[in-house]
Amino acid sequence: GSAAAGRAGACGRTAVRLTRRVSSARGPRLLVRSPVPVMRPAAGPVRRIVAGFVVALVTAAVVFGLGRVADAVSHAREPVAPEVAEVAEVAEVTVAVDAPGTVWDVADGVAPNATGPQRAAMVDRIVVANSLTSLRVRPGEVLRVPLR
């Protein structure tokens, strides 16, 4: 083999191409090795853009997933707001109406953190306890508000 056969090509690899050569004298044919550099196609801009997009997409998915987990953990650690009935140690409160409004306003003032169904149940209890025929209340009216 020749000394050039062991040298690396432009990309660090060398391929060997076998060529046929005939000696000048009438003798046997010899196969001689000649180095041929193997060129890899460079990663084009489209390939780089696609690879960058995939990396960005995977990163965004990981960040989003970690955010969801952190949100779930923080909600699990928050103390649950106790029910209106659990907070009150008395069974009934008396409320004097200050401004014109409705029984819904009174229920909202007594239990501002109550959910919709809890507030609706409280409105029903106020109407029944005070024998109201209308949901409207007038200033100066005194209402009994059952808490349970």
Side-chain angles (χ1 to χ4, degrees):
S2 75
R7 276 190 270 150
C11 294
R13 286 209 247 156
T14 302
V16 176
R17 178 177 62 187
L18 296 177
T19 59
R20 258 189 223 187
R21 295 195 181 208
V22 179
S23 65
S24 59
R26 292 208 173 245
R29 293 183 177 185
L30 300 176
L31 293 177
V32 180
R33 295 181 178 182
S34 65
V36 177
V38 175
M39 301 294 289
R40 287 174 125 186
V46 172
R47 206 172 189 188
R48 287 181 183 167
I49 290 171
V50 169
F53 180 72
V54 169
V55 168
L57 188 62
V58 168
T59 303
V62 168
V63 169
F64 179 74
L66 290 175
R68 297 282 296 191
V69 168
D71 189 40
V73 168
S74 69
H75 282 299
R77 291 186 179 176
E78 288 179 3
V80 177
E83 298 282 333
V84 175
E86 293 174 3
V87 172
E89 294 184 18
V90 284
E92 189 174 282
V93 175
T94 305
V95 176
V97 178
D98 293 337
T102 65
V103 177
W104 286 92
D105 298 331
V106 173
D108 190 38
V110 171
N113 294 329
T115 63
Q118 291 171 336
R119 192 171 294 138
M122 183 175 285
V123 167
D124 289 340
R125 288 192 303 264
I126 294 170
V127 169
V128 170
N130 294 287
S131 302
L132 298 176
T133 57
S134 171
L135 292 179
R136 295 200 178 272
V137 291
R138 294 181 305 276
E141 200 170 345
V142 178
L143 299 174
R144 294 185 346 227
V145 179
L147 298 177
R148 293 183 191 192

